[in-house]
Amino acid sequence: EDQVTQSPEALRLQEGESSSLNCSYTVSGLRGLFWYRQDPGKGPEFLFTLYSAGEEKEKERLKATLTKKESFLHITAPKPEDSATYLCAVRGNTGKLIFGQGTTLQVKP
Amino acid sequence: DVKVTQSSRYLVKRTGEKVFLECVQDMDHENMFWYRQDPGLGLRLIYFSYDVKMKEKGDIPEGYSVSREKKERFSLILESASTNQTSMYLCASSFGGQGAAYGYTFGSGTRLTVV
């Protein structure tokens, strides 16, 4: 069964304090791993797609990496506006997008 | 920009009512999806569709049905609303068929409260 586990559930950082969010997955035939950002009361907003182990993508202070078993979302020198819930999802042979529970990030000024 | 528009941001309905949630996308996407999101349970797939007039059950289809008469529109129907269907409902769309590796574009969500 395809499964995604994110850790930690919640993360509090001071502004400028870099850290990483983890997404562990098991999937039959990985077709893509996706990171989304979700603000309270809104729909998820697409950030990155990773397709194969070793791949990396960057956007501003965010960098996503992928291995055969997990993905990391690295946040460098975060700002308060980076506060949100970050969702990881995988798409395998079933074609369905399977989501993790998310990591809620709070960045304090 | 791809847009996925959900007709209502907030809805309050009574138990037993038939409820329609509408979703429209403007980028000619083949695939459309309905999720519900609840604290502690994450996003759960209700129904999806890879083509017009096609529909497939997701992980929690009980109490729901869908309609896709046109490519751009995917409707979620709560046949007889119950309080345990109080939730945030999210519509999404993507390119490609079942085997495609595209990410989804989500709407802003409909917060449904059943009283």
Side-chain angles (χ1 to χ4, degrees):
Chain A
E1 183 182 343
D2 297 349
Q3 195 168 2
V4 177
T5 303
Q6 292 187 246
S7 61
E9 287 187 21
L11 182 62
R12 288 185 180 181
L13 299 173
Q14 288 296 129
E15 185 172 1
E17 180 187 1
S18 301
S19 188
S20 297
L21 313 182
N22 178 262
C23 171
S24 298
Y25 65 91
T26 55
V27 66
S28 176
L30 179 69
R31 296 185 182 275
L33 183 141
F34 306 88
W35 281 99
Y36 287 85
R37 170 193 169 123
Q38 186 174 24
D39 293 301
K42 296 187 177 181
E45 177 187 343
F46 172 77
L47 291 174
F48 303 109
T49 308
L50 300 167
Y51 293 106
S52 57
E55 192 174 357
E56 298 182 353
K57 294 269 180 77
E58 283 189 69
K59 180 180 179 180
E60 296 180 353
R61 295 176 292 283
L62 300 177
K63 179 180 178 180
T65 62
L66 181 65
T67 72
K68 288 187 177 179
K69 293 184 179 180
E70 56 191 352
S71 176
F72 291 94
L73 185 65
H74 305 278
I75 303 176
T76 303
K79 298 182 178 182
E81 53 262 41
D82 294 321
S83 298
T85 296
Y86 291 86
L87 297 169
C88 172
V90 295
R91 196 169 188 185
N93 288 334
T94 65
K96 298 180 193 178
L97 203 59
I98 308 298
F99 283 86
Q101 299 280 347
T103 294
T104 299
L105 173 65
Q106 184 181 23
V107 182
K108 293 192 170 185
Chain B
D1 279 354
V2 174
K3 276 193 177 174
V4 177
T5 303
Q6 294 184 231
S7 54
S8 305
R9 289 300 306 275
Y10 301 95
L11 274 180
V12 180
K13 296 293 181 180
R14 294 195 179 278
T15 300
E17 275 193 78
K18 191 169 186 175
V19 181
F20 293 86
L21 302 183
E22 305 289 344
C23 175
V24 177
Q25 50 92 6
D26 66 358
M27 279 298 289
D28 203 33
H29 282 173
E30 291 85 3
N31 302 343
M32 296 190 76
F33 309 84
W34 276 106
Y35 285 86
R36 63 178 284 178
Q37 186 174 32
D38 301 285
L41 297 176
L43 279 144
R44 293 180 291 168
L45 181 63
I46 305 171
Y47 265 98
F48 58 104
S49 170
Y50 289 136
D51 202 351
V52 177
K53 300 209 187 264
M54 265 195 62
K55 59 184 178 184
E56 294 194 39
K57 293 180 180 179
D59 300 318
I60 51 163
E62 295 78 19
Y64 303 95
S65 63
V66 290
S67 172
R68 193 165 180 201
E69 296 295 317
K70 293 184 178 181
K71 190 175 185 179
E72 67 271 18
R73 187 179 295 270
F74 193 35
S75 302
L76 180 69
I77 303 155
L78 285 65
E79 298 292 342
S80 178
S82 64
T83 54
N84 63 12
Q85 292 178 310
T86 292
S87 185
M88 168 72 98
Y89 288 88
L90 289 160
C91 176
S93 70
S94 77
F95 281 119
Q98 184 174 358
Y102 299 103
Y104 298 1
T105 300
F106 282 86
S108 297
T110 296
R111 173 75 64 184
L112 173 67
T113 302
V114 183
V115 297

